[in-house]
Amino acid sequence: MNPTIKRIAINTGGGDAPGLNAVIRAAVLAALNRGWEVVGIREGYNGLFLAEQYPEGGLISLTRDSVRGVTHLGGTILGATNRGNPLRYPTLAETGQLVEKDRTDEIMEGFKRQQIDALIAIGGDGSLAIANVFAQKGLRVVGVPKTIDNDLDQTVITFGFDTAVSFATECIDRLHSTAQAHRRVIVIEVMGRYAGWIALNAGVSGTADAILIPEIPYDLTKVAAKIEDRARRGLDFSLVVVAEGAKPKEGSVSVIAREIGRAERLGGIGEKVAAELQEMTGKESRAVVLGHLLRGGTPTTFDRLLSLRFGAAAVRALAEGYSGVMVALDPPTVRYVPLEMVAGRMKSVPLDCDTILTARELGISFGD
Ligand code: F6P
């Protein structure tokens, strides 16, 4: 039991993911039950070091009332941003140029000024890397692994992933009938950044004919051959799932935008793949981008429960005196792993994993 904690803060950084509100609810109730006060920081860390931007204040008092009825809601009651990385904050230099500036010291001062004893940082790799910096600067921090992409190391799964995969699978199911009715090739682009977890799991579950993931650079002639082979067998339609970070063998990822202070925005690969497959096979092809639809909606039961477990475990970790750790699913338990083992490490799909082997046994093409 740690007697020194009186007031903790919770923040949600980076892209939102279904289950954020469930984590917040569990953490708030577990903390209040220990007699701690809880505040939420608006939009990442912005509410702390850019408080003047928020007329109603940069911090929200989190009470039993404020977390009532939020477990099943998508989004985050605190707001989120992936523009506010305080390690690389876009700042106008004297030269008039936009440069990246480290503003973490200002945030540390904010924590002191607000008498915040500990932070529960709910985020993906970027947010957890920032949380690790605060831990190194002396703040008590526990991280919670969030991302629909499932690309965080040291945890079996992140919350938000199951909801994204379930919805993507439903979309693939729906696209089957229209692809068949029109004898088309439909290319479905899904999020996932530089990892293929969403594409792989939804593609296999939705019985796609080809799945293109960043871990396996593709050769589209192989996919075209698969489509033509299906047509010869009377199956004159095909579904191809492509991860936004997938790339051709001799090419690079498809980037929409690069902006100072934020991660590059991926996208556009679905249209490219559809156009090339149409050219190669002569079959009418269409691209559908699921994009942010995968981030919305009600978390699945799996994600709700996982989020509630993570939120409660984060408070338990603080109460047990841990800091600089992330709660991680290691069935049947939730354990604590050093943030240092997570920050800056990406979990890719292992090429020899059982799901890839299963897909190959089912005849699904990876374009290799
Ligand atoms: O990391 C989650 C994620 O949804 C990625 O899959 C995607 O590349 C990125 O965020 C998109 O972020 P946004 O469009 O919100 O900047």
Side-chain angles (χ1 to χ4, degrees):
M1 190 63 191
N2 198 307
T4 57
I5 294 180
K6 292 198 179 81
R7 181 169 149 96
I8 67 165
I10 300 177
N11 80 335
T12 53
D16 64 329
L20 277 170
N21 288 320
V23 178
I24 295 170
R25 176 175 157 87
V28 167
L29 295 183
L32 294 178
N33 286 341
R34 285 175 167 82
W36 303 349
E37 191 191 338
V38 192
V39 292
I41 308 172
R42 285 187 200 275
E43 299 184 347
Y45 294 96
N46 287 0
L48 204 57
F49 78 126
L50 302 169
E52 68 287 350
Q53 284 186 0
Y54 302 88
E56 61 297 349
L59 299 184
I60 304 171
S61 171
L62 291 174
T63 62
R64 283 177 196 282
D65 282 345
S66 44
V67 296
R68 186 164 293 128
V70 302
T71 305
H72 64 293
L73 299 180
T76 157
I77 57 171
L78 302 178
T81 177
N82 44 23
R83 283 176 170 269
N85 183 344
L87 289 169
R88 301 164 46 197
Y89 205 84
T91 308
L92 210 53
E94 281 174 13
T95 56
Q97 263 187 327
L98 208 53
V99 294
E100 295 178 350
K101 191 177 167 211
D102 181 348
R103 298 187 66 172
T104 49
D105 284 338
E106 288 168 64
I107 298 176
M108 282 301 285
E109 281 161 29
F111 282 121
K112 274 192 202 129
R113 201 170 46 248
Q114 295 291 347
Q115 297 182 310
I116 291 166
D117 303 313
L119 170 72
I120 293 179
I122 314 171
D125 64 340
S127 308
L128 294 175
I130 299 164
N132 189 36
V133 170
F134 291 130
Q136 284 164 353
K137 287 183 189 251
L139 184 71
R140 298 171 66 169
V141 180
V142 172
V144 178
K146 164 238 69 168
T147 168
I148 64 164
D149 305 333
N150 194 37
D151 60 354
L152 281 180
D153 205 16
Q154 302 297 324
T155 182
V156 165
I157 200 165
T158 55
F159 76 85
F161 174 65
D162 185 65
T163 309
V165 170
S166 300
F167 184 68
T169 304
E170 187 189 328
C171 292
I172 299 167
D173 289 346
R174 286 169 186 247
L175 290 165
H176 259 281
S177 51
T178 178
Q180 188 163 17
H182 288 266
R183 299 169 175 235
R184 281 175 173 157
V185 173
I186 297 194
V187 177
I188 304 127
E189 179 184 314
V190 296
M191 282 188 169
R193 286 203 310 178
Y194 308 104
W197 294 104
I198 298 177
L200 177 66
N201 284 23
V204 173
S205 306
T207 68
D209 304 298
I211 302 173
L212 306 179
I213 59 174
E215 292 83 352
I216 307 177
Y218 62 80
D219 170 358
L220 274 192
T221 61
K222 301 277 172 59
V223 180
K226 165 86 192 177
I227 292 168
E228 281 159 354
D229 179 52
R230 279 173 54 77
R232 273 193 296 277
R233 289 186 287 124
L235 299 162
D236 208 3
F237 69 99
S238 288
L239 290 169
V240 177
V241 176
V242 55
E244 62 179 357
K247 55 175 187 273
K249 269 190 179 143
E250 308 298 333
S252 48
V253 288
S254 185
V255 176
I256 296 178
R258 286 192 179 89
E259 272 176 50
I260 201 151
R262 62 184 298 184
E264 59 186 6
R265 277 182 62 205
L266 303 179
I269 191 71
E271 284 290 351
K272 286 184 195 165
V273 167
E276 283 181 53
L277 286 177
Q278 178 161 314
E279 179 78 26
M280 288 175 180
T281 63
K283 297 195 183 306
E284 194 176 23
S285 304
R286 291 281 193 275
V288 177
V289 181
L290 297 186
H292 296 86
L293 288 168
L294 300 181
R295 297 221 306 237
T298 295
T300 56
T301 307
F302 179 89
D303 272 338
R304 276 188 219 190
L305 181 59
L306 181 62
S307 302
L308 293 168
R309 290 172 71 192
F310 276 167
V315 169
R316 223 161 39 234
L318 285 174
E320 289 168 9
Y322 286 91
S323 180
V325 295
M326 179 188 85
V327 296
L329 184 67
D330 184 7
T333 190
V334 171
R335 65 188 176 103
Y336 314 136
V337 295
L339 275 173
E340 273 167 14
M341 288 177 68
V342 182
R345 290 200 204 176
M346 200 191 90
K347 184 176 71 183
S348 305
V349 176
L351 296 185
D352 59 352
C353 74
D354 168 69
T355 315
I356 297 249
L357 299 181
T358 303
R360 292 198 191 277
E361 311 242 22
L362 293 173
I364 297 172
S365 167
F366 286 99
D368 61 344

